[in-house]
Amino acid sequence: QKEQSWYKPGSTIEKIINLISAKFFNQPRTISDIISELKAKDYHLKSSDLTLPLRKIVRKGLLMKTKKHADGTVSKNWLYVKG
């Protein structure tokens, strides 16, 4: 379990990783989807709070950025989905 030392416990990155574990990203999600899901867990974040953590997670290969929805339609915003 030493692998996870690249982020701090309780950090925004950890919150997003918990969503990955909960299969939240099995569907492509927008930043607003992520904010709503975290708000439901009583974490109140702005989209700017997610920019860097999401970038790090994408670079680690845990999530991918895409413009395609699950149904194949194209989004104007970036969507995040499990790699």
Side-chain angles (χ1 to χ4, degrees), residues 20-21 30 39 72:
I20 295 172
S21 309
T30 61
K39 199 172 277 175

Side-chain angles (χ1 to χ4, degrees), residues 31 46-56 80:
I31 288 206
K46 300 187 297 296
S47 57
S48 57
D49 299 332
L50 295 177
T51 312
L52 261 125
L54 281 168
R55 183 178 295 158
K56 287 181 180 170
Y80 296 86

Side-chain angles (χ1 to χ4, degrees), residues 14-31:
E14 185 183 56
K15 292 173 179 66
I16 296 169
I17 286 178
N18 290 339
L19 292 181
I20 295 172
S21 309
K23 307 209 182 325
F24 177 74
F25 290 101
N26 288 4
Q27 295 291 316
R29 303 291 188 170
T30 61
I31 288 206

Side-chain angles (χ1 to χ4, degrees), residues 45-73:
L45 299 167
K46 300 187 297 296
S47 57
S48 57
D49 299 332
L50 295 177
T51 312
L52 261 125
L54 281 168
R55 183 178 295 158
K56 287 181 180 170
I57 290 168
V58 166
R59 287 185 181 159
K60 279 273 179 194
L62 300 176
L63 287 177
M64 290 178 353
K65 276 169 76 166
T66 181
K67 292 262 183 174
K68 278 198 183 356
H69 285 285
D71 61 8
T73 58

